[in-house]
């Protein structure tokens, strides 16, 4: 596991964007696993700016997103499909047919999970998976207790995750109760993982994931078993780790 310290959120976002751009420019058909949430917003902003200023092309890039809410249509502004269009896809030259998210409106959700797994396989697997970190250690929507062997599945969102995400919705009751998410095993099959962590409020969970043996109570702790994980975290997020001088 490699840890890169960033000065602050902007610096973390810039470093993450450079990391992704290098992958985009360095491969003939890279498959990027993308994440949503507040953390990658700055990264996507830098990718948009870079596309505008340096014409980095995404015509050869394929993407698969980690997760999607159940029951939100693609044009619902709280769906992750909408988020990805608004924050990234709508501003770069990636063909729409190259971008993929689980379909939270599918009539057969279990079938949709299987379709998503085979899609990832057909694309040749994920080359670089971008991840944020939930306050309870979730990755994607894999809540504590999710088996490490899990593949794409339907998840009942915990109260804490629904509350954490309620800031984007009109009210807590409009936050969907379920989501579709890549499983832990799906995420672990990615060739490389880039975890972004920012802010004091994530310092505790970041310290925990770095100090604990992999266990299913902290989904992100599984990353300790992956061969190629890069963490870009800002000083606030690393504050507890540094206090205990665990990683430095
Ligand atoms: C959400 C997403 C995750 C994200 C996490 C952290 O629930 N499903 O993919 O990484 O929570 O969100 P944020 O980056 O807003 O802190």
């Amino acid at each position: 596991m490699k840890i890169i310290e960033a000065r602050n959120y902007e610096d973390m976002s810039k470093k993450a964007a450079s990391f992704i751009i290098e992958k985009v420019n360095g491969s003939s058909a890279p498959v990027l696993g993308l994440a949503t949430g507040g953390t990658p917003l700055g990264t996507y902003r830098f990718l948009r700016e870079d596309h505008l200023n340096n014409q980095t092309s995404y015509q050869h890039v394929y993407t698969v997103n980690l997760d999607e809410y159940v029951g939100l249509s693609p044009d619902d502004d709280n769906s992750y499909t909408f988020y990805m269009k608004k924050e990234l896809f709508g501003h770069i030259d990636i063909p729409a047919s190259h971008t993929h998210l689980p379909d939270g409106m599918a009539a057969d959700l279990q079938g949709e999970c299987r379709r998503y797994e085979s899609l990832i396989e057909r694309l040749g697997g994920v080359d670089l998976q971008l991840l944020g970190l939930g306050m309870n250690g979730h990755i994607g929507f894999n809540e504590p207790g999710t088996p490490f062997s899990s593949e794409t599945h339907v998840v009942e969102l915990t109260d804490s995750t629904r509350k954490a995400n309620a800031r984007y919705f009109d009210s807590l009751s409009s936050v969907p109760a379920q989501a579709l998410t890549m499983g832990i095993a799906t995420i672990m099959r990615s060739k490389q993982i880039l975890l972004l962590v920012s802010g004091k409020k994530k310092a505790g969970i970041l310290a925990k994931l770095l100090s604990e043996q992999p266990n299913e109570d902290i989904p992100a702790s599984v990353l300790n078993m992956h061969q190629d994980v890069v963490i870009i975290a800002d000083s606030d997020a690393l504050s507890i780790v540094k206090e205990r001088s665990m990683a430095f």
Side-chain angles (χ1 to χ4, degrees):
M1 198 174 282
K2 184 175 166 197
I3 302 178
I4 298 172
E5 181 175 3
R7 288 187 300 283
N8 49 34
Y9 179 76
E10 280 296 290
D11 189 35
M12 177 199 77
S13 304
K14 200 179 269 180
K15 286 184 160 67
S18 305
F19 198 95
I20 294 169
I21 292 165
E22 211 168 288
K23 182 80 35 182
V24 165
N25 287 332
S27 345
S28 56
V31 179
L32 302 180
L34 297 178
T36 49
T39 309
L41 284 172
T43 305
Y44 295 148
R45 174 165 44 83
F46 278 114
L47 292 180
R48 297 196 303 260
E49 285 174 12
D50 164 75
H51 176 70
L52 205 64
N53 299 330
N54 306 316
Q55 290 79 46
T56 298
S57 177
Y58 293 78
Q59 285 185 10
H60 61 303
V61 175
Y62 294 80
T63 67
V64 281
N65 262 76
L66 278 171
D67 45 18
E68 178 59 288
Y69 288 112
V70 168
L72 298 190
S73 73
D75 49 11
D76 185 312
D77 56 8
N78 278 310
S79 75
Y80 287 162
T81 308
F82 188 93
Y83 169 114
M84 288 308 303
K85 263 193 207 135
K86 177 167 170 252
E87 302 299 336
L88 187 65
F89 301 153
H91 307 269
I92 58 175
D93 62 346
I94 191 165
S97 61
H98 288 197
T99 67
H100 308 278
L101 285 96
D103 177 5
M105 295 293 281
D108 171 11
L109 292 175
Q110 303 300 337
E112 173 58 12
C113 293
R114 289 192 295 274
R115 181 196 72 85
Y116 206 63
E117 281 293 325
S118 8
L119 167 80
I120 297 171
E121 215 179 297
R122 231 174 332 117
L123 289 171
V126 172
D127 294 306
L128 175 65
Q129 177 65 58
L130 184 63
L131 288 182
L133 182 63
M135 292 293 290
N136 58 6
H138 74 237
I139 46 176
F141 267 133
N142 292 286
E143 301 282 19
T146 308
F148 282 172
S149 58
S150 58
E151 300 197 312
T152 303
H153 61 285
V154 183
V155 52
E156 304 293 326
L157 298 177
T158 61
D159 283 348
S160 79
T161 296
R162 292 183 69 243
K163 275 185 199 138
N165 289 358
R167 64 188 191 276
Y168 300 112
F169 292 80
D170 296 339
S171 63
L172 179 58
S173 60
S174 34
V175 182
Q178 292 182 311
L180 299 180
T181 183
M182 280 187 198
I184 307 262
T186 324
I187 293 171
M188 287 293 281
R189 282 197 285 266
S190 312
K191 288 160 203 127
Q192 188 174 40
I193 292 176
L194 177 60
L195 175 71
L196 304 184
V197 197
S198 167
K200 273 244 152 57
K201 66 179 199 292
K202 299 279 175 78
I205 189 65
L206 179 58
K208 225 171 177 181
L209 103 80
L210 291 174
S211 60
E212 296 218 1
Q213 289 302 315
N215 71 87
E216 293 176 351
D217 292 336
I218 307 170
S221 66
V222 76
L223 299 177
N224 290 301
M225 301 198 300
H226 194 282
Q227 310 274 38
D228 194 356
V229 176
V230 177
I231 299 179
I232 306 181
D234 62 18
S235 307
D236 281 348
L238 282 167
S239 53
I240 297 181
V241 175
K242 285 167 72 177
E243 242 167 61
R244 297 188 196 155
S245 62
M246 284 173 353
F248 292 89

